[in-house]
Every structure is written in C-alpha cells, then in structure tokens.
Amino acid sequence: MSVDLRRDAFCGKISVCNNLYQYGIPFTLTRLHTCDVESKEFETDLKDFAAVCRVVKGLRSARIGAIGARPAPFQTMRFSEKILQATGITVVPVDLSEIIGAAQRMSTDDPRVRQKVDEIYAYGKVAPSIPREKVILQAKLSLAVEDFMEENELDASAIQCWESIQLNYGCATCLTMSMMGERLMPSACEVDVTGAISMYALALASGNPPALLDWNNNFDYSRDMCVGTHCSNYPRGFMGQEVEIGNLDVLGKTLGPERCFGAVKGHVGPGDMTFFRISTDDGRGKIKAYLGEGEFTADPYGMDGGIAVCRVPRMNDLLRYITKYGFEHHVAMARGRWSAVLREAVETYLGWDLYVHEG
C-alpha cells in the first residue's frame, strides 16, 4: 500500500459503474467485486461475458427461416413477426413447394448428393430395412434446405415437418433438421419460429447442439420428473450417444412407413441441461421467456422416437407458470448449465420479460 504501488480498484469500480448507470449504458458485473486479473475467477467471468455477448449480438441480428406453413391444428405455433423484428430478429419465409421442387430437380449422380448420402450413413445407424433410395431422397431434401439457408444467410429454421412433406415428397424432415442442428444451425419442428429462436439462443450461449422437445408425459408419480419427446430431430450431440435413423413411428402408422424415413431415434444420455423458451405475447406487445436448469436421467422409458427423461426441481411450479402465462408446449434444451449466461443476456441487454425457475 505504498504511494507508488497502491491501487483503488475497489472504489474505482463503484465509480465506473456509477457513471455507466448515469448514462444508461448496460453493463455486466464480475462475480467478485475485485479479483486478480490472472485468477481462475476472472477467466471464468470473461468466458461467461463472451457467451453473453454472443447471445445478445446473435439475437439482435438473427435471421430465421420459416419453411412452409404451420400445421393447421397447431395454433400454439402462432407468433408475431413484427414484435420479433422490433428486437432485430428477421423471419424469412419460403413455401414448402419451393424446397420440394429444388430437391426433386437434383440428380442422383450429383457429387453433392453422393457426398450427403455418405454423411447420412456416417451420422448414425441407418436401420437395415431402409432402402438406399430413401436415403438419397433425404440427402436431396437436406441439400435443398441447406441451399435455402445459405442463400438467405439464415442462422436457424423452423420447418413444416408434417404431413405435406411426407405426402408430397416421400420422407420426413427430422434427419435434415438434426444434421443442421449438429452444426449449430438449429431447426424447430412444426414451424415453431420462436422455438427456433430459443434453440439458437442456447446454441450461442453453450456452443452445444440444442433440441426442441415437447413437455410430454409425467414420469410415474414423481412431481420433479417428466418425459420430453419428439419424433425426433434431436442432434446427435444432444443425444449424447449413438443414434438410430429410421422411420417415424406415429406418422408412419397413419401415412405409411414408406413415406416417413428420417427419424433420429434413441434415449438422451444423462447429464446436466438448461431449458429456455421465448414467446411473443401479442396482446402485450412483448417478448416473454422462461429459463431454468435440470438434468437428463438414465431412467428407462418405454416410448419410441427421441426420449429425454428430465428432472427439474419444483417442476409442478414451473408447469403452473407455463400454463398460466400461455407458453407453448415446446421447450428448447441444451446440455450443460447456461442459465446464468442467458439470464444476463435477457435481463441486462435484451430487456425481455423473463421468469427464472430456481430449485
């Protein structure tokens, strides 16, 4: 504490923050008021702040593809483009027929198609009963969607995944969506645009492939557990283990399995997870969201498709909040614990209404 070596960072930080507050400039605090700049604590703060910056910068300029029309019964998938645009999020729509037409015009001998077929076989275990022709069909669809994403500089997408694509083209979209998600270009089911944005936020925060799940089933009589499912389009990295690629089970029963190749099946491996969901509250003219953490468990569950057995503390309270405030049945999840990053991004910089569920 000599005259030459003394520092006043303790009160200096208070003064800097006072000035930022006066000028209305948002800022992020370190966990400790002061710490060594070469310490592990400061390194963690910097990494988390970088993640916050990725989320805020990414969402303020996000471009989301809306591929096709939402299934008519799914009024839960309605949203306001105008409210999203006011925060910097652009929605780029395309008719599903344009994607189907682009896929149908591709030659089976196209080197890009052959390469994509190889990628599919390397991505997971394709069921032996699946003819190669179905894999080729899926490869062409994947390329058509990827071309649309690239041409329009899109970050994520929401796709009309049933039942037009099965009836008019002959395969499912799930595998295409899963493989894009693995490359951190999330893709949401049933043209759930705000679900896709929720997934993209998790991808930006975590660097891990997110997935979109239904809050679907209770788990026996446990009030802190439930089962999240989809058909599914879960990325391989989200599954946390090897995946099987086959036909959609539920739609396959009604549309015929020969039209429904492309489901990524398996049980999600155990581990920590973060869940996040945004929604446009059109009546109030705002974006609202909820956020929390839990875990995937290794408990078995006798369902087909993509299965994630989830444990969330005080889950009944969370479900009461979701239902009372009109959120959708879909939720985005990613591996790891990222709620602190997303909370800081949303509350400090984006200004959305946020409920943080805590155990």
Side-chain angles (χ1 to χ4, degrees):
M1 296 304 294
S2 66
V3 172
D4 293 333
L5 297 177
R6 64 171 291 184
R7 295 290 183 269
D8 61 355
F10 202 95
C11 69
K13 178 176 179 180
I14 297 173
S15 299
V16 169
C17 293
N18 174 272
N19 277 270
L20 291 172
Y21 185 86
Q22 287 187 52
Y23 283 91
I25 300 171
F27 56 91
T28 294
L29 292 169
T30 52
R31 287 174 175 82
L32 302 176
H33 185 66
T34 56
C35 63
D36 191 325
V37 295
E38 295 182 354
S39 67
K40 189 68 176 177
E41 291 86 357
F42 190 62
E43 180 184 352
T44 299
D45 283 334
L46 282 177
K47 287 181 178 178
D48 285 353
F49 184 61
V52 170
C53 291
R54 287 195 305 270
V55 173
V56 174
K57 183 179 180 181
L59 291 182
R60 281 180 172 168
S61 60
R63 293 174 58 82
I64 312 297
I67 302 174
R70 66 169 173 82
F74 275 63
Q75 296 189 77
T76 53
M77 300 299 96
R78 295 193 291 190
F79 69 98
S80 170
E81 283 192 45
K82 293 180 179 180
I83 294 175
L84 294 178
Q85 190 67 71
T87 200
I89 300 171
T90 300
V91 178
V92 181
V94 65
D95 194 90
L96 187 61
S97 64
E98 295 186 37
I99 301 298
I100 292 175
Q104 290 174 332
R105 288 191 294 272
M106 292 183 188
S107 169
T108 301
D109 296 326
D110 187 325
R112 295 175 67 220
V113 174
R114 293 202 299 268
Q115 180 181 350
K116 183 61 69 174
V117 168
D118 292 340
E119 289 177 18
I120 290 172
Y121 278 110
Y123 189 71
K125 182 181 178 182
V126 178
S129 59
I130 303 298
R132 187 176 178 85
E133 291 74 21
K134 292 298 179 182
V135 179
I136 294 171
L137 204 64
Q138 182 75 216
K140 293 178 179 179
L141 177 65
S142 293
L143 290 169
V145 173
E146 290 171 10
D147 287 347
F148 168 72
M149 298 286 291
E150 183 177 354
E151 290 164 5
N152 290 278
E153 299 179 333
L154 303 177
D155 302 297
S157 61
I159 298 181
Q160 182 181 354
C161 56
W162 60 279
E163 54 189 15
S164 176
I165 191 73
Q166 289 85 7
L167 294 175
N168 296 302
Y169 182 71
C171 74
T173 62
C174 303
L175 178 56
T176 292
M177 299 162 75
S178 171
M179 294 177 75
M180 285 195 299
E182 188 71 13
R183 304 201 311 272
L184 302 185
M185 297 176 64
S187 191
C189 312
E190 294 146 7
V191 202
D192 183 359
V193 169
T194 49
I197 297 166
S198 308
M199 297 167 75
Y200 185 49
L202 281 167
L204 291 167
S206 68
N208 298 326
L212 193 72
L213 299 83
D214 284 358
W215 292 117
N216 206 75
N217 295 85
N218 59 291
F219 190 87
D220 198 23
Y221 290 96
S222 173
R223 293 302 177 189
D224 286 343
M225 294 179 69
C226 78
V227 183
T229 69
H230 250 159
C231 300
S232 74
N233 64 337
Y234 298 169
R236 181 175 58 189
F238 177 79
M239 285 285 203
Q241 53 194 18
E242 186 181 10
V243 298
E244 177 186 318
I245 306 170
N247 297 324
L248 296 171
D249 294 297
V250 176
L251 281 180
K253 290 286 188 182
T254 57
L255 303 180
E258 70 280 359
R259 301 174 183 266
C260 293
F261 170 70
V264 179
K265 301 181 181 182
H267 282 240
V268 174
D272 293 339
M273 65 86 167
T274 301
F275 58 87
F276 183 56
R277 174 77 212 189
I278 81 158
S279 181
T280 57
D281 193 326
D282 298 20
R284 296 169 60 230
K286 290 186 175 183
I287 294 176
K288 62 185 179 183
Y290 67 84
L291 168 68
E293 294 177 346
E295 64 174 326
F296 300 124
T297 78
D299 295 273
Y301 200 78
M303 286 179 67
D304 296 317
I307 307 300
V309 180
C310 308
R311 178 181 287 113
V312 176
R314 297 176 41 244
M315 172 163 272
N316 194 63
D317 292 340
L318 171 64
L319 295 172
R320 284 177 61 85
Y321 184 87
I322 290 169
T323 51
K324 183 174 182 178
Y325 291 99
F327 282 92
E328 296 81 353
H329 62 291
H330 288 165
V331 62
M333 294 183 181
R335 289 188 171 274
R337 295 189 174 271
W338 304 100
S339 63
V341 167
L342 286 167
R343 181 174 189 171
E344 181 70 7
V346 171
E347 290 185 339
T348 301
Y349 299 99
L350 296 172
W352 302 342
D353 288 355
L354 177 67
Y355 166 70
V356 180
H357 183 73
E358 297 176 339

